Amino acid sequence: GYPDGVPRFKSLRMNRQLIKGMVLTVEPGCYFIHHLLEGAFADEAKAKHLVEHKLRSQLGKFGGVRIEDNMVVTETGIELLTNVPRTVKEIETVMAGGPFPLPDSDYPIPRPAPADILAPC
């Protein structure tokens, strides 16, 4: 949300000072909106950057991808709370039945060990 007096921006959902202990969700995504793609296919200036037959055959009814990360603000930055495969290496390993987390992960942000994010029973 926005505190009183803080300017609002169309595409920015939060514009406030981050305080230690706040928990945030960062949601980058890539979406394929069919009516926008149809317009782009019909627009010569945009269509020249698209491989229409591949997009049509590969996307089908696929709407996109969003990857969410939950994090807590700390004194020195953030602590990642999400612990799922993210990189190509991790995803391919898990899809092949391999272990996760990988001991040699190439993900750039340190993740918590599973025991650190589960509350004791």
Side-chain angles (χ1 to χ4, degrees), residues 52-91:
E52 184 174 351
H53 73 278
K54 284 190 177 184
L55 288 170
R56 288 189 186 281
S57 68
Q58 293 178 358
L59 297 180
K61 296 183 190 267
F62 183 71
V65 174
R66 180 170 72 198
I67 301 173
E68 296 185 8
D69 272 321
N70 296 313
M71 53 197 64
V72 63
V73 178
T74 67
E75 292 265 344
T76 59
I78 63 156
E79 179 183 332
L80 185 64
L81 301 175
T82 309
N83 195 11
V84 297
R86 294 298 171 113
T87 68
V88 171
K89 176 181 176 179
E90 292 175 339
I91 293 168

Side-chain angles (χ1 to χ4, degrees), residues 6-115:
V6 173
R8 288 162 167 75
F9 299 96
K10 179 182 176 194
S11 297
L12 181 64
R13 295 189 184 158
M14 190 177 85
N15 182 19
R16 64 186 307 168
Q17 182 179 5
L18 299 179
I19 300 169
K20 179 183 171 185
M22 284 182 162
V23 176
L24 308 169
T25 300
V26 178
E27 304 173 346
C30 181
Y31 302 97
F32 307 102
I33 302 168
H34 292 283
H35 74 274
L36 295 178
L37 280 172
E38 291 300 330
F41 294 146
D43 180 332
E44 190 175 310
K46 294 175 184 171
K48 69 183 179 182
H49 301 287
L50 305 172
V51 182
E52 184 174 351
H53 73 278
K54 284 190 177 184
L55 288 170
R56 288 189 186 281
S57 68
Q58 293 178 358
L59 297 180
K61 296 183 190 267
F62 183 71
V65 174
R66 180 170 72 198
I67 301 173
E68 296 185 8
D69 272 321
N70 296 313
M71 53 197 64
V72 63
V73 178
T74 67
E75 292 265 344
T76 59
I78 63 156
E79 179 183 332
L80 185 64
L81 301 175
T82 309
N83 195 11
V84 297
R86 294 298 171 113
T87 68
V88 171
K89 176 181 176 179
E90 292 175 339
I91 293 168
E92 288 180 347
T93 299
V94 170
M95 294 300 292
F100 183 81
L102 277 63
D104 60 341
S105 172
D106 52 346
Y107 194 63
I109 301 173
R111 292 185 249 215

